[in-house]
Structure formats: C-alpha cells, structure tokens
Amino acid sequence: MAVIKLTTNSFDQEVLHADQKVLVDFYADWCGPCKMMSPVIEEIASEVSDVKVCKLNIDENIEIAQRYGVMSIPTFLIFDKGELSAKTMGAQPKDELVALLK
C-alpha cells in the first residue's frame, strides 16, 4: 500500500476513523532525520499489509502536531482503531517501528 499524505482536513477520517492500525510519520521537509526515515516508511508501507501508513507535514498541518504534542521530529504515532496506542521519536530502525505495530 502507498504512503498516504495527510492534511488537517483528512486526518480524522484517515486515522481516527480507520478500522485498522495506522502509523503516522510527523515530519518536515527541512528535517535531516525525517529525510533519512522516508525510505524506511515507504518500505513499511509496502511490506506490512494490515497497517495504514501515513505522513503528516508539521509545517503545513501545525494544528494536528499541536493536538498530539509533537515537539520534535520525526515523531511516529501509532493508532489502533482511532486510539493512540504508541509514540516514539527520532530516527528508528525499521524493525523497531514494525515491532510497535504488532
């Protein structure tokens, strides 16, 4: 499945109303570690079929970042049926992010 680019308008529908787990990558275009994680996020999206993988640009969607207290990027939030179930920050090995999705 392709990575879904979220906006403030699509966040609730795509994440909070999803009937599956959702991984949200909070990033910014200027962030070096975010750029480093981008191929990892793409791999997870193509390899893990039962999880929706999304990206949210914090510069374009500050309201959502503030709602979830995102103070540093990259930040990865995992939602399970609309409920926040895990949060981790900084560059992560792929296997650690995948383990959070289990």
Side-chain angles (χ1 to χ4, degrees), residues 35-52:
K35 290 179 185 177
M36 188 175 76
M37 290 302 298
S38 191
V40 174
I41 297 303
E42 294 285 342
E43 284 179 29
I44 292 171
S46 67
E47 294 172 6
V48 183
S49 60
D50 59 339
V51 172
K52 185 187 289 190

Side-chain angles (χ1 to χ4, degrees), residues 10-40:
S10 67
F11 184 87
D12 287 1
Q13 182 62 39
E14 292 287 350
V15 178
L16 302 183
H17 298 283
D19 58 358
Q20 65 194 111
K21 286 192 179 182
V22 182
L23 168 63
V24 182
D25 173 11
F26 287 78
Y27 77 101
D29 291 333
W30 49 263
C31 167
C34 300
K35 290 179 185 177
M36 188 175 76
M37 290 302 298
S38 191
V40 174

Side-chain angles (χ1 to χ4, degrees), residues 5 26-36 55-62 65 70-75:
K5 184 149 181 164
F26 287 78
Y27 77 101
D29 291 333
W30 49 263
C31 167
C34 300
K35 290 179 185 177
M36 188 175 76
K55 292 177 73 86
L56 183 107
N57 185 319
I58 63 160
D59 290 332
E60 297 170 0
N61 304 281
I62 191 78
V70 174
M71 303 295 280
S72 117
I73 51 174
T75 290

